[in-house]
Amino acid sequence: MARDYAIYDVFTDHKLAGNPLAVIFDGIGLSDQAMQAIAAEMNLSETVFILPADHASHTARIRIFTPGRELPFAGHPTVGSAIALAERAYHGDAASMDIVSVLEETVGPVRCAVRVRPGEASFAEFDLPRLSASHPEHQLDRQGLADALSVKASAIGFENHLPMVWSAGVPFLLVPLHDLASVESVDFDPQLWERVAPLSEGRLTSAYVYCRGGVHHAARFHARMFSPDMGISEDPATGSAVAALSGAIHHFDGLPDGHHPMMIEQGVEMGRPSFIHLQVDVKDGEISRARIGGQAVRLATGIMEL
């Protein structure tokens, strides 16, 4: 059976940067095993399979696979899928377009706003389907974490930021490092990580290291992500980790009531710079709403004969 697919570079406004995503537009009839095998064949951070929505008012149901396993939710597949579906539906339409779509993901329905402009990279933003929450019960080995990241133990932490597990649908062990040079120097050892990282929701937590500032002048934070459990040696952009990070930022920085836009850069060390837009609304001292957005550009289209 011939199935259309496209490759999008996500969280970037130009090709061959950001985080590549495979979008299989017709996932009907594919078994779980087939989807996982296709994702492994694509060998990108994530591959998305588009299916009919269960609810008539929703745009589509999507299933998200890394080379190693299925995810209930992820950021760059959400942004990329929303843009891919919008551009496919309005292909050839020269007018500017602003639409709202709802993607059904395993974590729940995800509301997305998509902006398409002729001659520009499209932009999508989505509301977090689940606000970030901490998993404070984990006892962490600071020296073990340092060894797994190949940094000095003294490089872990800045100001009052400390390592902690956070999740907005997918758990991550967020490890703050002292400065940009420390993050750039990380040499991740997956075997040591498997020894020291805790299990969350029955899975080995992925590593998300971050610091303040960045290479880009507008970056509030600079980050890298490593995930042996997902089959990802390093990820150029991780929206679900930024979703988790939103809780840590509020927890450690004590964001005041109001609207807080910020940009997080990732993938710089891989030569695939990615820019993830995070917006956090705080009311009565708590996060009331958080959104993640970014641009995406189509790199390739094709037909899968399967």
Side-chain angles (χ1 to χ4, degrees), residues 34-90:
M35 291 183 184
Q36 186 64 75
I38 291 169
E41 180 82 7
M42 288 295 188
N43 199 31
L44 301 176
S45 296
E46 279 104 355
T47 296
V48 168
F49 297 87
I50 308 295
L51 296 160
D54 293 330
H55 194 287
S57 65
H58 295 168
T59 307
R61 181 162 67 95
I62 67 171
R63 296 184 64 183
I64 303 166
F65 287 79
T66 74
R69 66 181 177 95
E70 185 173 8
L71 295 179
F73 158 73
H76 108 275
T78 301
V79 168
S81 296
I83 289 173
L85 288 168
E87 292 185 349
R88 185 176 174 89
Y90 292 87

Side-chain angles (χ1 to χ4, degrees), residues 59 78-79 82-83 86 97-103 110-116 122-127 289 291-294:
T59 307
T78 301
V79 168
I83 289 173
M97 179 176 56
D98 294 282
I99 63 172
V100 174
S101 63
V102 177
L103 301 179
V110 182
R111 182 181 179 274
C112 308
V114 185
R115 183 179 70 229
V116 179
S122 298
F123 179 90
E125 181 181 68
F126 64 89
D127 296 317
R289 184 186 183 195
R291 300 177 296 286
I292 286 176

